[in-house]
Amino acid sequence: VAWQCLYQISNVYLQLLIGLDDARGYGVVATLGHLAAAALCLSLVGRFGLLGIGISFVVGALITALLTRMRLRSRHGLSIPPIVAVLAVYSMAGLCLVAAVGHWTHEATLVGSGARALTALAFVTGLWFLLPRALRSELSSGMAAWGRARLR
């Protein structure tokens, strides 16, 4: 799940290379990221088992993100906003928190359900304050309009 989260974020910017008619850059970056993950799998799976595969995929996604950032900056003069890294770290921290809550509590209990609900509420609240003000305003307006439509 951690790999998928990071790869989704890095892949958005990787797709931007295609939109900028930089298919060669896309191919090189994607290939290098996947080759790095495969090479790490070969070296880590014997020692760590399935966890080694997960670690390899996460590192491959991070390499893809770094190479994409470098390609966008050097070839196209574009940069990925710093908030993207903040949101990626926040997402990974949220995944770790959910895993910890799942490990410490049983799902089918009042305590487990309450812990999961509080974890979700804390995550969404924190995420809300990380979003740009304009986006928060737009989301608030949309939710208010949706609520008014439901009340009619």
Side-chain angles (χ1 to χ4, degrees), residues 117-129:
L118 287 174
T119 301
L121 180 64
F123 182 81
V124 170
T125 301
L127 180 61
W128 182 259
F129 290 108

Side-chain angles (χ1 to χ4, degrees), residues 85-129:
V86 171
L87 290 171
V89 169
Y90 187 76
S91 297
M92 295 306 298
L95 285 173
C96 291
L97 183 60
V98 166
V101 168
H103 180 72
W104 293 328
T105 63
H106 295 287
E107 186 174 355
T109 64
L110 184 60
V111 171
S113 297
R116 284 163 175 74
L118 287 174
T119 301
L121 180 64
F123 182 81
V124 170
T125 301
L127 180 61
W128 182 259
F129 290 108

Side-chain angles (χ1 to χ4, degrees), residues 43-67:
S43 64
L44 295 180
V45 76
R47 184 176 306 157
F48 298 107
L50 287 177
L51 182 60
I53 294 172
I55 292 168
S56 301
F57 279 22
V58 166
V59 171
L62 291 172
I63 289 171
T64 300
L66 179 66
L67 292 174

